[in-house]
């Protein structure tokens, strides 16, 4: 296991990943979602802990979602032990980029929850929304789409920070391939 690091304060205005051209893929097409997606900066965790901070035993492990949607040679995912939190670096999404999807490894423990907190800012105003992923069996599954709160600057940009937290009954969760849908849902 590789340690991810110690949590650090985040500044929602300091975008690490600018709103720019992105490499797109239909990563969720096997599940009937033919939208294009782009990978959040190091959202496949193949670059180690770069762009992520952790608290309370979040780590990288040699375990990847089995469909290898971002490359056959991907090997890593992030694991959250009970009570752990994993937080992304702040990244920019453009006007028509409005939701998030990822792969989640459910622990198979009744009462276990994964909290996904999406914090957004336009540089002056901030809003947040939390999603609770209940334990749904055991093993890897794609998440449902998670909408960003709509707080945009004059250019239509939004600065996003994601936080994943293991909650509820003590269990280990894993996340992999954190991706953004670049086209606003209808």
């Amino acid at each position: 296991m590789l340690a991810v690091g110690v949590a650090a304060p985040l500044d929602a205005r300091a975008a690490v990943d600018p709103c720019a051209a992105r490499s797109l893929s239909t990563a969720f097409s096997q599940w009937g979602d033919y939208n294009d997606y782009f990978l959040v900066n190091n959202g496949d965790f193949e670059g180690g802990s770069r762009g992520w901070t952790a608290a309370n035993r979040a780590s990288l492990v040699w375990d990847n979602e089995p469909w290898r949607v971002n490359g056959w040679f991907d090997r890593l995912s992030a694991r959250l032990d009970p009570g752990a939190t994993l937080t992304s670096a702040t990244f920019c999404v453009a006007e028509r980029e409005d939701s998030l999807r990822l792969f989640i490894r459910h622990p198979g423990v009744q009462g276990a929850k994964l909290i996904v907190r999406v914090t957004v800012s336009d540089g002056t105003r901030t809003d947040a929304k939390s999603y609770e992923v209940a334990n749904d069996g055991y093993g890897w599954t794609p998440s449902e789409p998670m909408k960003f709160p709509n707080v945009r600057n004059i250019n239509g940009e939004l600065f996003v920070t994601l936080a994943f937290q293991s909650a509820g009954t003590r269990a280990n969760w894993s996340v992999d391939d954190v991706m953004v849908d670049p086209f606003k849902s209808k």
Side-chain angles (χ1 to χ4, degrees), residues 36-146:
D36 286 319
Y37 284 84
F38 67 84
L39 191 66
V40 169
N41 189 7
N42 197 30
D44 58 2
F45 303 99
E46 297 303 312
S49 62
R50 180 182 41 81
W52 296 88
T53 56
N56 301 328
R57 297 179 42 100
S59 57
L60 300 180
V61 294
W62 293 99
D63 184 22
N64 199 82
E65 50 79 13
W67 305 280
R68 308 252 192 250
V69 298
N70 280 302
W72 182 249
F73 295 104
D74 283 3
R75 299 285 185 252
L76 298 173
S77 65
R79 185 175 107 175
L80 289 86
D81 288 351
T85 302
L86 180 66
T87 306
S88 73
T90 301
F91 58 94
C92 180
V93 296
E95 185 173 4
R96 296 176 46 100
E97 301 169 348
D98 74 339
S99 61
L100 159 82
R101 281 192 93 175
L102 64 143
F103 290 89
I104 299 169
R105 185 179 184 115
H106 296 259
V109 176
Q110 189 168 353
K113 301 175 201 171
L114 178 69
I115 307 299
V116 180
R117 183 165 174 83
V118 179
T119 304
V120 300
S121 173
D122 67 357
T124 57
R125 297 172 296 150
T126 301
D127 195 3
K129 183 170 186 175
S130 291
Y131 293 90
E132 183 177 297
V133 178
N135 182 48
D136 188 17
Y138 179 78
W140 286 102
T141 62
S143 74
E144 292 298 319
M146 300 175 200

